[in-house]
Amino acid sequence: MTEQDFILKSYNSNIDKGSVKWASPSNIALVKYWGKKAHQIPENPSISFTLSDCKTITEMTYIKKDNQGFSFDIYFEGEKNEAFKPKIQTFFERIEIYMPFLKDYHFKIETSNTFPHSSGIASSASGMSAIALCLMSIEKELSVPESDNVEFQDYFNQKASFLARLGSGSACRSIEGELVVWGKNESIVGSSDLYGVKFEGDVHANFKNYQDTILLVDKGEKQVSSTVGHQLMYGHPFATKRFAQAHDNLAKLKTILASGDLNAFIKIVESEALTLHAMMMTSMPYFILMKPNTLEIINKIWAFREKTDSKICFTLDAGANVHVLYPEKEKDDVLQFIKNELANYCQNGHYICDQIGHGANQI
Ligand code: DP6
């Protein structure tokens, strides 16, 4: 598929109004996307677990209008929200060529998250993918003839992911589950820089219902936005090596997912998390995104692993919160450990229990 294939050629302009609604999940990268080229093309491939319960629920109502230009209102958790508007405006500008009907309608976008707003969890992946999916459902309603075969479903998901990417890179990995690859990589057939693809390789039973407990170390605004962080990879002294390493780690992870080798899984996942932070520490300007409690938690996880032979491990996004990953069969023991030993390091003792999910669904 190329960009051209995603341009909607014709649509039924007699439909006056309608409404669609989607719930779309967040995702957590195992091999990290960090660094991008123009038009939201990633510098390296990434792979993520789709989450199950951390979701954005978005309803989009569309009403025909006469005037030119984009017209939309956003309501976040029931209240009109002006702060989100510039991001959506930019998003509409980027995707207009692929959805020529955008200027024909006024859109009311009503959105809410299943996780607390001030949790420090990035909602851009779930938020942008939910809007992209709503727009695809509207495209489907306006399409002549409306089609419902398997091929169309593939196109629907690919274009939804393609659009979501233009809103926020990692959002393109939130359409499907349970594992999604984004970015061209030789070991993954069908992988693309333009959209995420469901990981179709073998996945060992060890990874079934894999758990992710998100420890909320810092609920504040991120010190550096991801967008600024990505830019710091331009001219970064270690960039070339890092991008090559991500290709390598993805190929290795493919084998590990099939074999179920949890020790090898831990090595890649923790190394990816620390490398992401190392890139931020070694860029110019430089940043430390971890907090003292992030390190306390990492050390406790390592000590617990040493002591109990558990296969618990951690990953991080571009902030201080810790995602604790572990097999489902360890759920009781690990949750007890988190409650007893890690919750103290979380802001107000807060953490969110989630697990691998199957992707977005229409409501
Ligand atoms: C550290 O997708 O938030 O979470 O494309 O600028 O919107 P933009 O960035 P974003 O970056 C996410 C970076 C990450 C790693 C990852 O999810 O792969």
Side-chain angles (χ1 to χ4, degrees), residues 204-313:
H204 191 276
N206 282 350
F207 297 104
K208 204 173 157 16
N209 298 330
Y210 222 67
Q211 304 290 304
D212 179 7
T213 302
I214 309 158
L215 307 182
L216 306 177
V217 173
D218 185 7
K219 301 190 196 175
E221 275 278 302
K222 282 193 177 166
Q223 186 190 344
V224 193
S225 74
S226 293
T227 306
V228 171
H230 289 292
Q231 277 161 13
L232 294 172
M233 290 305 281
Y234 284 113
H236 191 294
F238 308 133
T240 314
K241 271 260 151 54
R242 159 60 198 154
F243 301 145
Q245 178 198 43
H247 278 273
D248 221 45
N249 279 345
L250 177 54
K252 284 185 184 143
L253 203 55
K254 184 184 167 190
T255 313
I256 293 166
L257 288 168
S259 71
D261 182 344
L262 291 171
N263 291 326
F265 176 80
I266 291 170
K267 276 190 194 153
I268 302 260
V269 169
E270 292 191 345
S271 163
E272 275 289 322
L274 294 177
T275 301
L276 165 69
H277 282 252
M279 289 300 112
M280 289 302 276
M281 288 191 219
T282 50
S283 59
M284 194 57 77
Y286 39 82
F287 295 94
I288 299 179
L289 303 183
M290 293 186 205
K291 296 281 184 223
N293 281 353
T294 313
L295 284 175
E296 293 282 1
I297 289 168
I298 291 174
N299 280 317
K300 287 267 179 195
I301 288 174
W302 285 346
F304 182 75
R305 208 158 67 208
E306 190 75 31
K307 199 171 74 190
T308 64
D309 216 29
S310 158
K311 301 303 177 201
I312 185 175
C313 73

Side-chain angles (χ1 to χ4, degrees), residues 40-106:
Q40 298 280 104
I41 297 298
E43 287 279 11
N44 65 258
S46 54
I47 183 167
S48 49
F49 276 152
T50 305
L51 296 185
S52 171
D53 298 339
C54 288
K55 287 187 278 203
T56 297
I57 296 156
T58 299
E59 178 165 15
M60 257 175 119
T61 310
Y62 56 102
I63 301 172
K64 195 75 172 267
K65 66 177 180 63
D66 297 325
N67 55 329
Q68 282 304 298
F70 298 125
S71 169
F72 59 90
D73 288 316
I74 306 177
Y75 293 80
F76 180 66
E77 271 151 24
E79 305 224 342
K80 207 164 185 177
N81 188 302
E82 296 298 323
F84 289 160
K85 277 197 122 171
K87 201 162 181 181
I88 305 298
Q89 176 76 24
T90 308
F91 179 52
F92 275 20
E93 283 163 14
R94 281 188 194 159
I95 65 169
E96 187 199 350
I97 171 170
Y98 306 105
M99 301 202 130
F101 60 84
L102 280 181
K103 282 190 171 155
D104 299 349
Y105 293 92
H106 171 78

Side-chain angles (χ1 to χ4, degrees), residues 27-36 40 44-48 87 94 122 124-125 128 164-173 182 222 225-231 276-277 289 316-319:
N27 68 74
I28 179 67
L30 304 172
V31 172
K32 307 289 180 183
Y33 147 57
W34 200 241
K36 58 177 159 181
Q40 298 280 104
N44 65 258
S46 54
I47 183 167
S48 49
K87 201 162 181 181
R94 281 188 194 159
S124 67
M128 280 299 173
R165 179 194 107 242
L166 292 169
S168 176
S170 56
C172 79
R173 299 187 312 238
W182 169 40
K222 282 193 177 166
S225 74
S226 293
T227 306
V228 171
H230 289 292
Q231 277 161 13
L276 165 69
H277 282 252
L289 303 183
L316 308 164
D317 60 14

